[in-house]
């Protein structure tokens, strides 16, 4: 990286910090448009994940919906343009109840009759007003209904909600009446909502199971699922055992103040084609589903449907026969309209359709672009990531920034990312902001960086030891032998291109993904500390024994950098970790390098190590067999035991206060092979352990009193959920939270370690395996 790039990184860090401090100050018109675009992105996130029509196959393509309207908002920052486009986006959902509502809007008034009235109408019809207040006394249903009329209007309208009296009205009158009109148990309408057990990878082409069922038919939990959830509280009505359908036609009159049980039961009765229903004024929204409100421009409410109402036969919603506004017409005209319904045959809704469907989450597919993605596409990627973390991250509480309020900052940054380099840095900063080591961001075509940008490194490697950065590897780069000969192992790096080391580190703090300091240091010193464009020149200033000197070096391609690093000669390479990856070393001590073996080798491994009383499990690195930790633990286990539990977000609503968590326990059952049981184990760990590599350690710790030796692991566990970005970029986040049985989290803290082994300068320079050495010293002290 040249000096210019370092300055960009440092400037980005400064802007990020100051933007939060200045968030309460006045804003310009440009800032106002950023705020509007932010609101659009949050509203879109609710639509994408929770509106019923978004989850049903091809009904709505939420990504295309966003792109269709956001461009106009970007180009025209006026409030009028924003409101017009937002209305258009909501209207595209084909849902009359998802809409923009002026905050000042008031609902229409209905005329209500709180007194009891029983009045004969023309044509041998009967009108009865039964407001809930009269049910403070006992009412006889048979006396009220009588037997003298075949067509009866029952008017339940009232002028306020009173749960106690309304429930009495339902239990003493409505429920018994309906029980006489039905011949079988009637299930009342209930909500149906999308539900998420965690979140699926967004790059999966379709929902697949990663593993086959086990011997008991149970599916491993690594594939999270979406589906339907009926939010039912067991609401139903039994038919009267004597089934007494009197052949009377009933027409019910309701308003929004009528008790919810009465309204739902009458609408269920109408759904069976057994009555007429008229609403005076607004139909209660709960008959259509649940809604989530977002305030817009301090003038409107964006009301978004987040669930739908399903009836016992699969019908989605049931409309009243009439919607009148009693306050705007006379009582006589009101009754005449309702009476006219009796001339129509009772029938079910014309638009009735049976649904047998599941919600699906479609894969996110951004068209590959050789050029910089447009501003609209960049924002789509930003909002997709932000909403995914907002709704589905189980570790959102660990994010160091205020996730709810940080979005305007990133909207401005992504709008201004008008070059590939700025866009790349914006993506790095966004993914790093969630403090999750899983969120490593890369380009699916070019690797960790865009083509020809920060794709090289100086042919030296460094380590931070006791707060200072030292050269611990000098690559055998034949083209720069003279320059490299001026470095010495153990040189302290003071600056690169006159930028002090502490400022370089600070510049990367907002750009590198990590759950903890151990993970950050791994990322920084393995890849990014000397990064820059391949072929660029840097001036490295070092100090050794009090003397400073500056040396010019050229950056080499990163792949060549890694290759040369692996060929750096070491003074004390032990060879123990080399093939074969399971063996008996001196004094009958067993050794297995866990990340290099496969589950099908375990019987052979067990037989090879059966005579060892002490076995070193070198768990460092990422395993090539994702199930090796679980299977190996079963060979060690002497009894069935819970070694950890996983917490999945169980999301059914955009209102996070209404959501839940699901807990799954990780249980290890003993394998019948006994060769590896009842031995003393020593587990080696370091910052290279992450995700599956950390789970392996937790599983092994749970089945044996092992001594765990090493350095803090990366603290990023729980299935990496993929998040694509336009421009061929990809990132991830931890999809569930993993805990030890004593409730200690793995995220951020890493695995539990009994013996901490600090890295030393001497050990790093000489290539000593200090963790293995400590393990051998502990074993030998106990021989």
């Amino acid at each position: 990286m040249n000096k210019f790039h370092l300055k960009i990184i440092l400037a980005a860090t400064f802007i990020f910090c100051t933007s939060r401090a200045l968030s309460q100050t006045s804003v310009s018109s440009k800032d106002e448009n950023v705020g509007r675009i932010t609101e659009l992105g949050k509203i879109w996130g609710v639509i994408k994940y929770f509106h019923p029509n978004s989850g049903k196959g091809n009904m709505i393509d939420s990504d295309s919906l966003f792109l269709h309207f956001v461009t106009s908002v970007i180009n025209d920052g006026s409030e009028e343009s924003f409101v017009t486009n937002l209305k258009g986006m909501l209207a595209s959902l084909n849902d009359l109840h998802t809409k923009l509502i002026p905050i000042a809007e008031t609902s229409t008034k209905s005329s209500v009759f709180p007194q009891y009235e029983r009045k004969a109408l023309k044509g041998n019809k009967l009108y009865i007003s039964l407001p809930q207040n009269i049910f403070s006394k006992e009412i006889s249903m048979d006396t009220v209904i009588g037997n003298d009329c075949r067509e009866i209007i029952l008017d339940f309208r009232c002028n306020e909600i009173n749960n106690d009296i309304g429930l009495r009205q339902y239990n003493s009158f409505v429920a018994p009446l309906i029980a006489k009109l039905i011949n079988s148990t009637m299930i009342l309408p209930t909500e149906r909502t999308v539900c998420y057990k965690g979140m699926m990878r967004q790059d999966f082409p379709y929902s697949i199971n990663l593993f086959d069922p086990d011997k008991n038919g149970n599916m491993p939990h690594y594939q999270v699922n979406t589906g339907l959830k009926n939010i039912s509280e067991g609401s139903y009505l039994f038919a009267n055992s004597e089934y007494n359908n009197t052949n009377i036609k009933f027409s019910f009159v309701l308003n929004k103040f009528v008790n919810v049980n009465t309204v739902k039961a009458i609408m269920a009765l109408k759904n069976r084609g057994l009555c007429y229903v008229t609403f005076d004024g607004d139909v209660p929204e709960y008959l259509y589903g649940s809604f989530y409100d977002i305030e817009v421009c301090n003038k409107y409410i964006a009301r978004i449907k987040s669930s739908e109402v399903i009836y016992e036969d699969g019908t989605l919603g049931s409309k009243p026969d009439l919607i009148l506004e009693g306050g705007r017409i006379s009582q006589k005209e009101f009754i005449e309209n309702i009476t006219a319904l009796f001339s129509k045959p009772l029938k079910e809704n014309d638009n009735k359709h049976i649904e047998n469907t599941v919600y699906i989450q479609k894969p996110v597919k951004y068209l590959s672009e050789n050029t910089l993605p447009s501003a609209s596409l960049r924002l789509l990627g930003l909002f997709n990531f932000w909403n995914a973390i907002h709704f589905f991250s189980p570790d959102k509480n660990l994010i160091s920034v205020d996730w709810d309020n940080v979005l305007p900052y990133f909207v401005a940054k992504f709008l201004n990312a008008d070059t590939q380099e700025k866009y790349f840095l914006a993506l790095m900063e966004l993914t790093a902001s969630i403090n999750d080591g899983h969120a490593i961001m890369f380009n699916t075509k070019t690797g960790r960086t865009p083509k020809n940008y920060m794709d090289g490194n100086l042919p030296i490697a460094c380590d931070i030891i006791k707060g200072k950065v030292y050269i611990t590897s000098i690559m055998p780069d034949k083209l720069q032998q003279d320059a490299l000969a001026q470095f010495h192992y153990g040189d302290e790096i003071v600056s690169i291109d006159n930028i002090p080391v502490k400022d370089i580190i600070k510049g990367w703090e907002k750009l590198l993904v990590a759950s903890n300091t151990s993970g950050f240091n791994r990322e920084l010193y393995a890849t990014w500390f000397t990064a820059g464009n391949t072929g660029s020149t840097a001036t490295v200033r070092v100090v050794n024994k009090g003397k400073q000197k500056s040396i010019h070096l050229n950056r080499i391609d990163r792949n060549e950098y890694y290759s040369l690093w692996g060929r750096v000669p070491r003074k004390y390479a032990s060879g123990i970790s080399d093939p074969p990856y399971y063996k008996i070393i001196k004094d009958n001590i067993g050794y297995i390098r866990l990340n290099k073996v496969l589950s099908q080798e375990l019987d052979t491994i067990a037989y090879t190590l059966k005579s060892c009383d002490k076995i070193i499990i070198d768990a460092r690195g990422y395993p090539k067999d994702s199930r090796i930790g679980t299977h190996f633990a079963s060979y060690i286990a002497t009894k069935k035991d819970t070694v950890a539990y996983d917490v999945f977000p169980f999301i059914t609503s955009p209102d996070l206060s209404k959501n839940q968590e699901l807990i799954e326990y990780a249980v290890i059952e003993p394998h019948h092979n006994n060769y590896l049981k009842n031995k003393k184990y020593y587990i080696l760990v370091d910052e290279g352990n992450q995700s599956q590599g950390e789970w392996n350690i937790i599983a092994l710790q749970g089945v044996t009193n092992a001594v765990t030796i090493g350095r803090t692991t990366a603290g990023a566990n729980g299935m990496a959920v993929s998040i694509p970005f336009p421009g061929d970029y990809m990132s991830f986040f931890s999809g569930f939270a993993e805990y030890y049985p004593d409730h200690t989290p793995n995220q951020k803290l890493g695995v539990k370690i009994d013996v901490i082994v600090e890295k030393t300068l001497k050990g790093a320079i000489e290539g000593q395996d200090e963790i293995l050495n400590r393990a051998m010293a502990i074993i030998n002290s106990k021989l």
Side-chain angles (χ1 to χ4, degrees), residues 609-650:
L609 303 181
K610 66 179 182 178
S611 63
C612 300
D613 294 325
K614 298 178 175 64
I615 298 176
I616 296 172
I617 304 174
D618 192 343
R620 294 173 291 181
Y622 197 84
K624 65 178 181 179
D625 180 347
S626 62
R627 304 291 285 168
I628 187 63
T630 301
H631 290 154
F632 191 29
S634 71
Y635 276 70
I636 295 174
T638 58
K639 61 183 178 66
K640 183 177 180 179
D641 206 355
T642 298
V643 298
Y645 65 90
D646 303 327
V647 177
F648 289 84
F650 187 64

Side-chain angles (χ1 to χ4, degrees), residues 58 90 124 130 154 236 241 403-404 465 497 503 673 679 720 779:
N58 296 320
L90 298 180
N124 198 30
L130 293 167
L154 291 179
Y236 54 89
S241 59
W403 195 247
D404 289 336
I465 298 169
D497 287 327
D503 291 337
N673 187 313
K679 299 181 183 297
I779 292 172

Side-chain angles (χ1 to χ4, degrees), residues 507-518:
W508 284 111
E509 284 178 352
K510 298 295 182 184
L511 297 174
L512 297 188
V513 299
S515 299
N516 55 30
T517 301
S518 184

Side-chain angles (χ1 to χ4, degrees), residues 39-319:
E39 290 175 346
L40 188 72
K42 290 184 176 182
I43 292 168
W44 171 78
V46 175
I47 293 171
K48 176 182 176 71
Y49 289 112
F50 299 101
H51 193 283
N53 290 349
S54 289
K56 297 178 181 177
N58 296 320
M59 289 188 72
I60 292 174
D61 183 339
S62 57
D63 290 358
S64 298
L65 184 71
F66 174 83
L67 291 172
H68 181 75
F69 290 101
V70 72
T71 303
S72 297
V73 178
I74 294 172
N75 294 333
D76 183 348
S78 67
E79 181 179 309
E80 181 181 5
S81 170
F82 171 68
V83 171
T84 298
N85 282 281
L86 180 54
K87 286 181 177 178
M89 187 169 76
L90 298 180
S92 298
L93 297 173
N94 299 316
D95 167 27
L96 296 177
H97 307 102
T98 294
K99 55 189 175 182
L100 206 60
I101 304 170
I103 292 177
E105 183 177 287
T106 58
S107 61
T108 58
K109 295 182 179 180
S110 61
S111 57
V112 295
F113 303 86
Q115 70 280 2
Y116 168 73
E117 182 180 6
R118 193 175 191 276
K119 182 171 65 175
L121 303 175
K122 291 181 180 180
N124 198 30
K125 296 177 176 61
L126 181 65
Y127 169 82
I128 306 173
S129 175
L130 293 167
Q132 64 186 11
N133 64 305
I134 71 169
F135 287 88
S136 57
K137 298 179 180 180
E138 203 165 309
I139 303 292
S140 170
M141 181 188 67
D142 291 332
T143 301
V144 170
I145 300 297
N147 294 308
D148 51 344
C149 292
R150 298 295 90 189
E151 295 175 335
I152 299 177
I153 298 171
L154 291 179
D155 188 346
F156 290 118
R157 291 178 295 170
C158 51
N159 56 11
E160 65 178 358
I161 294 175
N162 187 313
N163 291 329
D164 291 337
I165 300 178
L167 190 58
R168 189 179 304 167
Q169 176 192 44
Y170 174 75
N171 287 326
S172 66
F173 188 92
V174 176
L177 172 62
I178 292 177
K180 285 189 173 188
L181 302 179
I182 58 177
N183 61 5
S184 62
T185 300
M186 185 172 72
I187 301 173
L188 303 190
T190 188
E191 287 182 64
R192 185 170 73 171
T193 179
V194 64
C195 66
Y196 301 86
K197 177 194 168 188
M199 182 180 172
M200 283 177 56
R201 289 180 60 116
Q202 290 196 337
D203 62 331
F204 277 8
Y206 33 71
S207 179
I208 62 173
N209 291 308
L210 299 181
F211 299 102
D212 292 328
D214 62 20
K215 61 183 180 180
N216 298 318
N218 298 314
M219 296 299 301
H221 62 227
Y222 295 95
Q223 175 62 52
V224 292
N225 298 287
T226 60
L228 292 174
K229 176 179 172 61
N230 287 352
I231 307 176
S232 174
E233 297 178 352
S235 300
Y236 54 89
L237 267 175
F238 287 127
N240 189 310
S241 59
E242 298 178 358
Y243 183 58
N244 182 26
N245 188 331
T246 60
N247 294 318
I248 299 175
K249 287 185 178 181
F250 286 94
S251 185
F252 295 96
V253 184
L254 309 171
N255 67 3
K256 63 183 179 180
F257 300 115
V258 175
N259 182 266
V260 62
N261 299 285
T262 295
V263 174
K264 285 187 173 182
I266 290 173
M267 293 305 294
L269 189 67
K270 180 193 182 311
N271 189 64
R272 285 196 177 185
L274 296 176
C275 70
Y276 306 99
V277 176
T278 299
F279 260 93
D280 181 355
D282 298 332
V283 177
E285 286 189 333
Y286 61 74
L287 285 180
Y288 301 112
S290 293
F291 295 83
Y292 186 73
D293 290 351
I294 298 178
E295 187 173 318
V296 177
C297 298
N298 299 318
K299 295 181 180 179
Y300 302 92
I301 294 293
R303 183 155 293 166
I304 307 158
K305 180 185 283 189
S306 57
S307 74
E308 57 195 359
V309 171
I310 184 170
Y311 284 74
E312 60 184 353
D313 60 355
T315 299
L316 294 180
S318 181
K319 297 178 181 178

Side-chain angles (χ1 to χ4, degrees), residues 576-579 581-582 591-597 616-620:
I576 292 177
S577 60
D578 296 334
Y581 296 122
Y582 52 92
Y591 174 88
I592 176 172
R593 187 172 175 184
L594 201 62
N595 72 321
K596 296 292 186 179
V597 298
I616 296 172
I617 304 174
D618 192 343
R620 294 173 291 181

Side-chain angles (χ1 to χ4, degrees), residues 602 605-607 609-610 615 632 635-636 673-679 681:
L602 284 173
I605 292 170
Y607 185 81
L609 303 181
K610 66 179 182 178
I615 298 176
F632 191 29
Y635 276 70
I636 295 174
N673 187 313
N674 292 319
Y675 286 143
L676 295 177
K677 302 184 192 302
N678 299 309
K679 299 181 183 297
Y681 287 94

Side-chain angles (χ1 to χ4, degrees), residues 657-673:
S657 67
K658 295 181 179 179
N659 292 312
Q660 307 168 56
E661 294 178 336
L662 292 180
I663 295 178
E664 292 189 0
Y665 292 92
V667 179
I668 301 294
E669 295 194 30
H671 192 275
H672 59 79
N673 187 313

